[in-house]
Amino acid sequence: KLMGRHCGHITMHAAIAASCVDICLLPEMDIDLQKVLDHTAALMKAKGHVIIVVAEGCGDTIVSSGSGETDAGGNKKLADVGVYLKNEISKHFKKLEMPFTIKFIDPTYMIRSVPANAYDSVYCSVLAQNAVHGAMAGFSGITIGKLCSRYVYLPIHAITKQKGKNVDVKGRGFINLINSTTQPDFTPEGFERPSSARDNRTDILDFLSEPASVNSVLHPGDEVRRLDVVSLSNMFTSAAVRNPLRATTFVSSGAWCTQTLQQVNKRAGNAKMYFQMITAGPREYLHFDPAQSSACIVNCGGLCPGLNAVVREIVMMLSHYGVKKIYGCKGGYKGLVTPEKWIMLTPDSVRDIHKLGGSVLVSDRGNPPHSEIAKSLKSMNVKQYFVLGGDGTHKGGMQTFDAMQELEDGPYECSVVGVPKTIDNDIAMLDNSFGFNTAVTEAEKAIDAAYVEARARENSIGLVKLMGRHCGFIAIEATLAARHVDLCLLPEMDISLPKVLKHCLHLVQTKKHAVIVVAEGCGDTLIKSSGGTDAGGNKVLADVGTWLKQELERYFEKMRQELHVKYIDPTYMIRAVPPNANDTVFCTVLAQNAVHAAMAGFTGITVGKVDENFVLLPIHAITKGTRKVDIKGRQFERMMLTTEQPDMSPGPGDDWALLPPPPADKDATDVPAPEHLTEEEIDRLLGHDLMGRPATSRGVIEEEVSVPNAKLKVLNGYGEVLLDRPLQRADIVQAHDEVRTLELARLSERYPSKEVPSPLKTVNFQDDDSWAVQAFSLLDRVDSGKGTPYYQMLRAGPREVLHFDPKDAPAAIITTGDLCPGMNSVIRQLVTTMKLYGTAKVYGIPMGFDGIQKRERWIELTNEMVEEIHMDAGCILGSAHGHKSAKATAAALKEAGVKQFYVIGGDGSQKGAVETLAEMRALDYECAVINIPKTIDNDLPLMDKTFGFDTAVCEARKAIDAAYVEATCNANCIGFVKLLGKESGFITLNAALSSRIVDICLLPEMEVDLAKVLAHCEHLMATKGYAVIVVTEGCGGSLLNRA
């Protein structure tokens, strides 16, 4: 059951996006419940399962809401149609004596209590900005909206004095739904919907508007250019078959759509050109007889979210028309002339492919002779030829159409229809291309990660490189969606590197962090590429991301400014994912319109959305230039307002000369050297162990088990007792194994305990007899003589008597080292648990050990402050490396009266904690020093696992999955992934095992011969045609040195 009190827009769009719904019920539909129940039973007999989606508003149509009560907002209280329908289906199936189960899901509040996705985030920003613009200009009683892709002001009465917008059950959206679900008409027999007279919508808009003429919206010299398209009916005899699609409102032959007429301001009175295009949709009569048709689908160029969704819907719609032979061609245009690359596509074979990233029709670049493609299509009797790709692919499709007309045995009758695909969103005229919405959402995630990294450590820059070869649409939209970018660089901008460096230095010195987004196309503007091209004719660009990182590091080093650059390149990850719901619906409509056009005999055309209208365009309309970000347009202005970046254009002179000079050299004696205790000094202060007890030597206590009634009972596989005797030592450990107790430091051995009863009343307390021993293991019955120590450790948990009086034991928390998932969760739980005990003061200290000496930066943490921090990534206290002086740390904590000191960090942080404890011993200061182990690499000894490791592996697997999609969906491709792990390969190992699709996995612990790796890669490419390689960053030492 989905939300929608009076309309079914959410339900309809979600059902179309899912592409797996069997029955969809909307408040706008007239529904005979018995027909629904009968169809449900028929589906269960045929398929064994059914998916039903119902809008909550059906609680006032299928079932009467009855009471007529309203809520505080005046809305009628509806009957719960979900529960009602569940019960009715149960009764029906019991009556039929059919076996069944029902899994009822009501996500009502879940779908509205989440953050906005990238598209909605940008939409919200623009609406809000325009609201302020309107108020500041003195408008009142207005609302802001988007109509025909233009943001406009409307009088509030225009939307409040008329009935809300409903799903038109005779409109294209509803017809798309019926085509997706294939559900029958559920209208009650003999029911006729009353015809609506002039509605109040027209009345109120008439009242609010003034008469105007067409002349008032045209300017002298304006031109309306009609873009007609080629019809095969003008070249070949049409079959004139009536369209077999049911419940369809057909588009007439004279249906044209003109671009939105507009004027920016009085100063923009220049003549404009507006295009008039053919409206897309099904025609009443078909040029082709579906029974005599065969179709072929091919995709070329790079991957894009939604390719599989388009392929699926083309196949489904062709099947609805009655086309029996539908081919998919693997490997792009090259596959068209290779018979073994042709595969048969059926509704069953494509039913779930929309849930996958990449393309089941492996993509490739490059073109064989178009005359050969034409001959191949003719030999397979292809009558509808669908090409999915960008402007180059569309040009190729048109060249193939021309080649069809020049075949030796005469022109060949075949409809060539394109579906425009480019993740860069740079196709001329179109509102946007499919997959762009998804790509921006994924790109925003990369920016968010860069922001978290930059904020977590002082003097850090999060640098993100995003896709966009010749335009910056992904970069600018993701920047607007993320809202925390400080500098965004686009290929359309004229950029001065000195100004970029100067601004970045200013940001780091003033804000202590910065986030930079750069589009890959700046690899041909900010720096110059080699001029080479790939197989598809695209220029090979220089890697602007790594170049800019190096330039920043070089300049900051020159200016003696500390800098840490966190570089993220999510390039292939943003395009190798399945489409989101918005893009899936978009793909569905584009694909269906492509099939409608092909069956009607249109050719040399592509489908697209212009000013929110789906239209047919001649291919030449989108191949004579690409769209770019208008750096004088409103969207660019919004980006500049969001980032607050200055103009980066080169000045009239030498911008390098304007950079400030480097600071003067400092006397080396002015820089205090870090103070670190030696191991000997720590031993002297703490004794051999943490409280002065001498360490015991290794020795095996070999006495036999003498515990009364300790038994060994052996059971067989049936649970029968085979042996029951007293337990012997050799039953659980070998002769040279030993059990050792890990002693702990206790403040009560040095300082008197307050012996305060614990305020925690409802827990199971533990005492000094609560312990655990590592699991004994008999790996080999033959004793090796080496022996294994098994450690006995005190169990963690609450004690009944406390050493400290909580109200007199202030606490401090620091986080050190790199970020790790879960740090905020640990901080939250530390604070809330201490507050349960009654700790009065809990301080959070930003920036690690060295922040302890800066009391002005300490933050008092409360339950209210940390209540929701676990929902955020990163760490509210930031994080930092290094520990300059344990003596100063101990003195600062003593001065602040801190009695509980919590250190969240890895092995280096633990060493710092031990040094601090030793210095506290020297000061004779009573303070509990506690470490919570943190390392994303999972390389701490003894521990089963460190927190954040599971999350890191899950995210790492996503990168591997993206590499696999790219490798398998592009011809002759290697997917290559580098993962975290400086000294160990646990993340890489577990992510590779989890994905099950890795061909080569390289760990720092391995001895690797690079020549063997390369030889195996060659073998994989020769036998499989692709490979997935995962390497750990720690191999940068062993593998490179060996190479």
Side-chain angles (χ1 to χ4, degrees), residues 246-286:
R246 63 179 183 81
T248 294
T249 302
F250 297 117
V251 178
S252 67
S253 58
W256 293 88
C257 178
T258 306
Q259 282 183 296
T260 303
L261 305 184
Q262 62 176 330
Q263 175 176 298
V264 178
N265 51 50
K266 290 181 179 179
R267 296 182 298 277
N270 299 328
K272 289 185 174 62
M273 181 187 297
Y274 300 100
F275 291 102
Q276 192 177 65
M277 301 144 288
I278 293 179
T279 302
R283 269 54 183 177
E284 188 171 4
Y285 289 94
L286 310 181

Short mmCIF file of all heavy atoms in Angstrom, two decimals, residues 246-286:
data_model
loop_
_atom_site.label_atom_id
_atom_site.label_comp_id
_atom_site.label_asym_id
_atom_site.label_seq_id
_atom_site.Cartn_x
_atom_site.Cartn_y
_atom_site.Cartn_z
N ARG A 246 -4.59 -2.22 -26.84
CA ARG A 246 -5.90 -1.87 -26.28
C ARG A 246 -5.75 -0.68 -25.34
O ARG A 246 -4.65 -0.33 -24.91
CB ARG A 246 -6.48 -3.07 -25.52
CG ARG A 246 -5.63 -3.49 -24.33
CD ARG A 246 -6.24 -4.67 -23.58
NE ARG A 246 -5.46 -5.02 -22.41
CZ ARG A 246 -5.54 -4.39 -21.26
NH1 ARG A 246 -6.36 -3.37 -21.13
NH2 ARG A 246 -4.80 -4.77 -20.22
N ALA A 247 -6.85 -0.09 -24.97
CA ALA A 247 -6.89 1.01 -24.00
C ALA A 247 -5.90 2.11 -24.34
O ALA A 247 -5.20 2.63 -23.48
CB ALA A 247 -6.63 0.48 -22.59
N THR A 248 -5.82 2.43 -25.60
CA THR A 248 -4.84 3.41 -26.03
C THR A 248 -5.51 4.61 -26.69
O THR A 248 -6.41 4.46 -27.51
CB THR A 248 -3.85 2.77 -27.03
OG1 THR A 248 -3.10 1.78 -26.36
CG2 THR A 248 -2.90 3.81 -27.59
N THR A 249 -5.07 5.79 -26.32
CA THR A 249 -5.48 7.01 -26.99
C THR A 249 -4.44 7.29 -28.08
O THR A 249 -3.28 7.54 -27.77
CB THR A 249 -5.54 8.20 -26.02
OG1 THR A 249 -6.45 7.88 -24.96
CG2 THR A 249 -6.00 9.45 -26.74
N PHE A 250 -4.85 7.20 -29.32
CA PHE A 250 -3.90 7.31 -30.42
C PHE A 250 -3.56 8.78 -30.72
O PHE A 250 -4.37 9.68 -30.51
CB PHE A 250 -4.45 6.63 -31.68
CG PHE A 250 -4.67 5.16 -31.49
CD1 PHE A 250 -5.95 4.61 -31.57
CD2 PHE A 250 -3.60 4.31 -31.24
CE1 PHE A 250 -6.15 3.25 -31.40
CE2 PHE A 250 -3.80 2.95 -31.06
CZ PHE A 250 -5.07 2.42 -31.14
N VAL A 251 -2.35 8.98 -31.20
CA VAL A 251 -1.88 10.30 -31.59
C VAL A 251 -2.20 10.51 -33.06
O VAL A 251 -1.89 9.65 -33.90
CB VAL A 251 -0.36 10.44 -31.35
CG1 VAL A 251 0.14 11.80 -31.81
CG2 VAL A 251 -0.04 10.22 -29.87
N SER A 252 -2.80 11.64 -33.37
CA SER A 252 -3.18 11.90 -34.75
C SER A 252 -1.96 12.30 -35.57
O SER A 252 -0.92 12.70 -35.04
CB SER A 252 -4.23 13.01 -34.82
OG SER A 252 -3.66 14.24 -34.40
N SER A 253 -2.10 12.20 -36.89
CA SER A 253 -0.99 12.52 -37.78
C SER A 253 -0.62 14.00 -37.75
O SER A 253 0.49 14.38 -38.11
CB SER A 253 -1.35 12.11 -39.21
OG SER A 253 -2.53 12.79 -39.63
N GLY A 254 -1.53 14.85 -37.31
CA GLY A 254 -1.26 16.29 -37.29
C GLY A 254 -0.89 16.81 -35.92
O GLY A 254 -1.05 18.00 -35.64
N ALA A 255 -0.43 15.92 -35.04
CA ALA A 255 -0.10 16.33 -33.67
C ALA A 255 1.31 16.89 -33.63
O ALA A 255 2.30 16.17 -33.79
CB ALA A 255 -0.22 15.14 -32.73
N TRP A 256 1.41 18.21 -33.42
CA TRP A 256 2.70 18.88 -33.35
C TRP A 256 2.84 19.57 -32.00
O TRP A 256 1.85 19.94 -31.37
CB TRP A 256 2.83 19.93 -34.47
CG TRP A 256 2.88 19.33 -35.84
CD1 TRP A 256 1.81 19.04 -36.64
CD2 TRP A 256 4.04 18.96 -36.57
NE1 TRP A 256 2.23 18.50 -37.82
CE2 TRP A 256 3.61 18.44 -37.82
CE3 TRP A 256 5.41 19.01 -36.32
CZ2 TRP A 256 4.48 17.98 -38.79
CZ3 TRP A 256 6.30 18.56 -37.29
CH2 TRP A 256 5.83 18.04 -38.51
N CYS A 257 4.05 19.75 -31.58
CA CYS A 257 4.33 20.40 -30.30
C CYS A 257 5.41 21.45 -30.51
O CYS A 257 6.46 21.16 -31.09
CB CYS A 257 4.79 19.36 -29.28
SG CYS A 257 5.21 20.04 -27.69
N THR A 258 5.14 22.66 -30.07
CA THR A 258 6.10 23.76 -30.25
C THR A 258 6.81 24.05 -28.94
O THR A 258 6.21 23.99 -27.86
CB THR A 258 5.37 25.03 -30.72
OG1 THR A 258 4.61 24.73 -31.90
CG2 THR A 258 6.35 26.15 -31.03
N GLN A 259 8.10 24.36 -29.04
CA GLN A 259 8.86 24.73 -27.85
C GLN A 259 8.21 25.91 -27.13
O GLN A 259 7.51 26.73 -27.74
CB GLN A 259 10.30 25.11 -28.24
CG GLN A 259 11.21 23.92 -28.50
CD GLN A 259 12.63 24.37 -28.80
OE1 GLN A 259 12.86 25.04 -29.80
NE2 GLN A 259 13.57 24.00 -27.95
N THR A 260 8.48 25.99 -25.84
CA THR A 260 7.91 27.07 -25.02
C THR A 260 8.40 28.43 -25.50
O THR A 260 9.61 28.68 -25.59
CB THR A 260 8.31 26.88 -23.55
OG1 THR A 260 7.88 25.58 -23.12
CG2 THR A 260 7.70 27.94 -22.68
N LEU A 261 7.44 29.31 -25.81
CA LEU A 261 7.80 30.68 -26.17
C LEU A 261 8.17 31.43 -24.89
O LEU A 261 7.51 31.29 -23.86
CB LEU A 261 6.63 31.38 -26.87
CG LEU A 261 6.06 30.68 -28.11
CD1 LEU A 261 4.97 31.55 -28.73
CD2 LEU A 261 7.14 30.39 -29.13
N GLN A 262 9.22 32.24 -24.95
CA GLN A 262 9.65 32.91 -23.74
C GLN A 262 10.38 34.20 -24.05
O GLN A 262 10.86 34.41 -25.16
CB GLN A 262 10.58 31.98 -22.93
CG GLN A 262 11.85 31.61 -23.69
CD GLN A 262 12.80 30.79 -22.83
OE1 GLN A 262 12.81 30.93 -21.62
NE2 GLN A 262 13.58 29.93 -23.46
N GLN A 263 10.44 35.02 -23.03
CA GLN A 263 11.25 36.24 -23.09
C GLN A 263 11.93 36.38 -21.73
O GLN A 263 11.27 36.32 -20.68
CB GLN A 263 10.39 37.47 -23.37
CG GLN A 263 11.16 38.78 -23.32
CD GLN A 263 10.29 39.97 -23.71
OE1 GLN A 263 9.80 40.05 -24.82
NE2 GLN A 263 10.10 40.89 -22.77
N VAL A 264 13.23 36.56 -21.73
CA VAL A 264 13.98 36.66 -20.48
C VAL A 264 13.71 38.00 -19.82
O VAL A 264 13.38 38.09 -18.64
CB VAL A 264 15.48 36.43 -20.71
CG1 VAL A 264 16.25 36.57 -19.40
CG2 VAL A 264 15.72 35.05 -21.34
N ASN A 265 13.83 39.07 -20.55
CA ASN A 265 13.52 40.41 -20.05
C ASN A 265 13.35 41.34 -21.25
O ASN A 265 13.52 40.94 -22.40
CB ASN A 265 14.60 40.93 -19.09
CG ASN A 265 15.99 40.79 -19.70
OD1 ASN A 265 16.23 41.22 -20.83
ND2 ASN A 265 16.91 40.20 -18.95
N LYS A 266 13.02 42.59 -20.99
CA LYS A 266 12.79 43.54 -22.08
C LYS A 266 14.02 43.72 -22.95
O LYS A 266 13.93 43.99 -24.15
CB LYS A 266 12.35 44.89 -21.52
CG LYS A 266 10.95 44.89 -20.91
CD LYS A 266 10.59 46.28 -20.42
CE LYS A 266 9.18 46.29 -19.84
NZ LYS A 266 8.81 47.62 -19.32
N ARG A 267 15.18 43.59 -22.33
CA ARG A 267 16.42 43.79 -23.09
C ARG A 267 16.68 42.64 -24.05
O ARG A 267 17.48 42.76 -24.96
CB ARG A 267 17.59 43.93 -22.11
CG ARG A 267 17.48 45.16 -21.22
CD ARG A 267 18.69 45.29 -20.31
NE ARG A 267 18.81 44.17 -19.40
CZ ARG A 267 18.15 44.07 -18.25
NH1 ARG A 267 17.31 45.02 -17.90
NH2 ARG A 267 18.32 43.05 -17.45
N ALA A 268 16.01 41.48 -23.80
CA ALA A 268 16.24 40.32 -24.65
C ALA A 268 15.14 40.24 -25.70
O ALA A 268 14.41 39.27 -25.78
CB ALA A 268 16.29 39.04 -23.81
N GLY A 269 14.99 41.26 -26.46
CA GLY A 269 13.94 41.29 -27.46
C GLY A 269 14.38 40.81 -28.82
O GLY A 269 13.70 41.06 -29.82
N ASN A 270 15.54 40.16 -28.90
CA ASN A 270 16.02 39.69 -30.17
C ASN A 270 15.15 38.55 -30.69
O ASN A 270 14.51 37.82 -29.93
CB ASN A 270 17.47 39.20 -30.05
CG ASN A 270 18.40 40.32 -29.60
OD1 ASN A 270 18.17 41.48 -29.94
ND2 ASN A 270 19.43 39.97 -28.85
N ALA A 271 15.15 38.40 -32.01
CA ALA A 271 14.37 37.33 -32.63
C ALA A 271 14.89 35.97 -32.17
O ALA A 271 16.08 35.78 -31.98
CB ALA A 271 14.45 37.44 -34.15
N LYS A 272 13.98 35.02 -32.00
CA LYS A 272 14.33 33.69 -31.55
C LYS A 272 13.81 32.65 -32.53
O LYS A 272 12.89 32.91 -33.31
CB LYS A 272 13.75 33.41 -30.15
CG LYS A 272 14.40 34.19 -29.01
CD LYS A 272 13.82 33.73 -27.69
CE LYS A 272 14.55 34.37 -26.52
NZ LYS A 272 14.44 35.82 -26.51
N MET A 273 14.42 31.47 -32.45
CA MET A 273 13.97 30.34 -33.25
C MET A 273 13.34 29.31 -32.32
O MET A 273 13.93 28.92 -31.31
CB MET A 273 15.14 29.71 -34.01
CG MET A 273 14.72 28.53 -34.88
SD MET A 273 16.15 27.69 -35.59
CE MET A 273 16.83 29.00 -36.60
N TYR A 274 12.12 28.89 -32.65
CA TYR A 274 11.42 27.86 -31.88
C TYR A 274 11.17 26.67 -32.79
O TYR A 274 10.78 26.85 -33.95
CB TYR A 274 10.09 28.39 -31.34
CG TYR A 274 10.24 29.58 -30.43
CD1 TYR A 274 10.02 30.87 -30.90
CD2 TYR A 274 10.60 29.41 -29.10
CE1 TYR A 274 10.15 31.97 -30.06
CE2 TYR A 274 10.72 30.51 -28.25
CZ TYR A 274 10.50 31.79 -28.74
OH TYR A 274 10.63 32.87 -27.92
N PHE A 275 11.39 25.49 -32.24
CA PHE A 275 11.18 24.28 -33.04
C PHE A 275 9.82 23.68 -32.76
O PHE A 275 9.35 23.64 -31.62
CB PHE A 275 12.28 23.25 -32.76
CG PHE A 275 13.63 23.67 -33.28
CD1 PHE A 275 14.60 24.19 -32.43
CD2 PHE A 275 13.93 23.57 -34.63
CE1 PHE A 275 15.84 24.58 -32.90
CE2 PHE A 275 15.16 23.96 -35.12
CZ PHE A 275 16.12 24.47 -34.26
N GLN A 276 9.22 23.20 -33.84
CA GLN A 276 7.94 22.50 -33.74
C GLN A 276 8.20 21.05 -34.13
O GLN A 276 8.80 20.76 -35.17
CB GLN A 276 6.91 23.14 -34.68
CG GLN A 276 5.50 22.65 -34.44
CD GLN A 276 4.50 23.37 -35.34
OE1 GLN A 276 4.56 23.22 -36.56
NE2 GLN A 276 3.63 24.17 -34.75
N MET A 277 7.78 20.14 -33.26
CA MET A 277 8.14 18.73 -33.42
C MET A 277 6.90 17.84 -33.39
O MET A 277 5.87 18.21 -32.83
CB MET A 277 9.10 18.31 -32.29
CG MET A 277 10.38 19.15 -32.25
SD MET A 277 10.96 19.47 -30.55
CE MET A 277 9.75 20.65 -29.98
N ILE A 278 7.04 16.66 -33.98
CA ILE A 278 5.94 15.70 -34.00
C ILE A 278 5.78 15.09 -32.61
O ILE A 278 6.76 14.66 -31.99
CB ILE A 278 6.19 14.59 -35.05
CG1 ILE A 278 6.14 15.19 -36.46
CG2 ILE A 278 5.17 13.47 -34.92
CD1 ILE A 278 6.40 14.18 -37.55
N THR A 279 4.56 15.03 -32.13
CA THR A 279 4.28 14.43 -30.82
C THR A 279 4.48 12.92 -30.88
O THR A 279 4.02 12.26 -31.82
CB THR A 279 2.85 14.75 -30.38
OG1 THR A 279 2.68 16.17 -30.34
CG2 THR A 279 2.54 14.15 -29.02
N ALA A 280 5.17 12.39 -29.90
CA ALA A 280 5.41 10.95 -29.84
C ALA A 280 4.19 10.23 -29.31
O ALA A 280 3.37 10.81 -28.59
CB ALA A 280 6.62 10.66 -28.96
N GLY A 281 4.07 8.96 -29.64
CA GLY A 281 2.96 8.14 -29.14
C GLY A 281 2.47 7.17 -30.19
O GLY A 281 2.90 7.20 -31.35
N PRO A 282 1.54 6.28 -29.82
CA PRO A 282 1.04 5.26 -30.75
C PRO A 282 0.12 5.85 -31.81
O PRO A 282 -0.66 6.76 -31.52
CB PRO A 282 0.30 4.29 -29.83
CG PRO A 282 -0.13 5.14 -28.69
CD PRO A 282 0.94 6.16 -28.48
N ARG A 283 0.22 5.32 -33.03
CA ARG A 283 -0.67 5.72 -34.12
C ARG A 283 -1.74 4.65 -34.32
O ARG A 283 -1.51 3.47 -34.05
CB ARG A 283 0.12 5.90 -35.41
CG ARG A 283 0.65 7.31 -35.67
CD ARG A 283 1.46 7.89 -34.55
NE ARG A 283 1.89 9.29 -34.84
CZ ARG A 283 2.56 10.04 -34.01
NH1 ARG A 283 2.89 9.58 -32.82
NH2 ARG A 283 2.90 11.28 -34.34
N GLU A 284 -2.89 5.08 -34.85
CA GLU A 284 -4.00 4.14 -35.00
C GLU A 284 -3.72 3.08 -36.04
O GLU A 284 -4.13 1.92 -35.90
CB GLU A 284 -5.28 4.91 -35.34
CG GLU A 284 -6.52 4.04 -35.34
CD GLU A 284 -7.80 4.84 -35.47
OE1 GLU A 284 -7.71 6.08 -35.64
OE2 GLU A 284 -8.88 4.22 -35.40
N TYR A 285 -2.98 3.45 -37.08
CA TYR A 285 -2.66 2.48 -38.14
C TYR A 285 -1.16 2.34 -38.26
O TYR A 285 -0.40 3.32 -38.16
CB TYR A 285 -3.27 2.91 -39.48
CG TYR A 285 -4.77 2.78 -39.50
CD1 TYR A 285 -5.59 3.87 -39.17
CD2 TYR A 285 -5.37 1.56 -39.82
CE1 TYR A 285 -6.96 3.75 -39.15
CE2 TYR A 285 -6.76 1.44 -39.81
CZ TYR A 285 -7.54 2.53 -39.48
OH TYR A 285 -8.90 2.39 -39.46
N LEU A 286 -0.72 1.11 -38.46
CA LEU A 286 0.70 0.79 -38.51
C LEU A 286 1.18 0.66 -39.94
O LEU A 286 0.45 0.20 -40.81
CB LEU A 286 0.98 -0.52 -37.76
CG LEU A 286 0.40 -0.64 -36.34
CD1 LEU A 286 0.80 -1.99 -35.74
CD2 LEU A 286 0.86 0.52 -35.46
#
